[in-house]
Amino acid sequence: MLLFVFVIGGFTGCHSCPRFTPTEAGGVGATGAFLIGVLTGRLDKEKLLASLLQATRTAAAVFTVLIGALIFGYFLTVTQTPQKVTEFLTGLGLGSYASRPHHADVPVLGCLMDAMAMIILTVPIIFPVITHLGFDPIWFGVIIVMTVELGLIHPPVGMNVFVIKSVVKDVSFATIFRGVIPFVATDLVRLVILIAFPVLATWLPQHMLR
């Protein structure tokens, strides 16, 4: 509870907690968890080495994806794929609203790919099309975030489902996936509404600034 209050307080500007960014919060949370584990005696040498090994594996996987992203970005630059895709879609003469179903492929990819891989593969190609057709980049960012979150609970990837299964081993995958169906359904409905009415993504922030 102390760690939770300290980290969340840093976001909200609690008087007893220093302010820090989300990136800094990751370091604060990791350091706080380490200190609490050591002081309470729950983090011995074996568990510390296991956590460091797992962190190294995770970092290696992330850096591998980032290296692939750099190579992929260089490929897109050399081949001018985003420009060609934008010219192709706008050259169809269908207009921005008729081209909008093209953006619906993002939720499908979110159900089949890892979040970072989906963002790396789709954003460099789709974003120029979005801006050229006159859609708000903030709306597109909201769609991407919602899709990533949907992919975390949607089969066959469902990373959060696998996390739940690792914690509650006596519950089957079928039971867990049945439990997340209502959340998947509501997320899909929200995505359809935002795709049909993009102004909803920016309406509330615009009124809050007034």
Side-chain angles (χ1 to χ4, degrees):
M1 182 61 68
L2 178 63
L3 180 63
F4 173 81
V5 171
F6 187 71
V7 173
I8 300 301
F11 287 119
T12 59
C14 178
H15 294 291
S16 60
C17 302
R19 291 293 300 271
F20 40 74
T21 65
T23 302
E24 295 168 345
V28 171
T31 304
F34 170 75
L35 293 177
I36 292 174
V38 171
L39 294 177
T40 57
R42 300 173 59 184
L43 186 63
D44 54 19
K45 183 178 179 181
E46 293 183 357
K47 293 181 179 179
L48 177 60
L49 292 176
S51 63
L52 292 176
L53 179 60
Q54 182 61 38
T56 303
R57 290 174 177 172
T58 303
V62 171
F63 280 119
T64 302
V65 174
L66 292 178
I67 293 172
L70 293 175
I71 298 175
F72 183 68
Y74 178 76
F75 167 79
L76 293 179
T77 302
V78 173
T79 59
Q80 295 185 341
T81 301
Q83 293 85 347
K84 293 180 180 178
V85 172
T86 302
E87 293 176 0
F88 172 75
L89 291 177
T90 55
L92 295 176
L94 299 178
S96 59
Y97 287 91
S99 302
R100 186 177 299 178
H102 164 71
H103 314 323
D105 61 351
V106 180
V108 177
L109 292 176
C111 303
L112 301 175
M113 293 183 177
D114 177 73
M116 183 175 294
M118 183 202 69
I119 293 175
I120 291 173
L121 289 175
T122 59
V123 171
I125 298 176
I126 299 179
F127 185 74
V129 180
I130 295 292
T131 55
H132 189 83
L133 292 176
F135 292 106
D136 194 326
I138 298 178
W139 166 81
F140 180 67
V142 172
I143 293 294
I144 288 293
V145 172
M146 291 176 57
T147 304
V148 168
E149 298 302 322
L150 176 61
L152 292 175
I153 63 174
H154 195 288
V157 177
M159 188 180 300
N160 284 353
V161 175
F162 285 92
V163 172
I164 295 174
K165 176 61 178 178
S166 66
V167 175
V168 189
K169 301 183 183 299
D170 57 338
V171 179
S172 64
F173 276 112
T175 301
I176 298 175
F177 276 121
R178 282 197 298 268
V180 301
I181 286 178
F183 299 96
V184 173
T186 54
D187 281 343
L188 290 175
V189 171
R190 189 166 66 243
L191 279 172
V192 171
I193 294 175
L194 284 177
I195 291 174
F197 306 100
V199 69
L200 294 177
T202 57
W203 179 83
L204 182 60
Q206 289 175 352
H207 282 71
M208 291 177 65
L209 293 176
R210 293 181 179 178

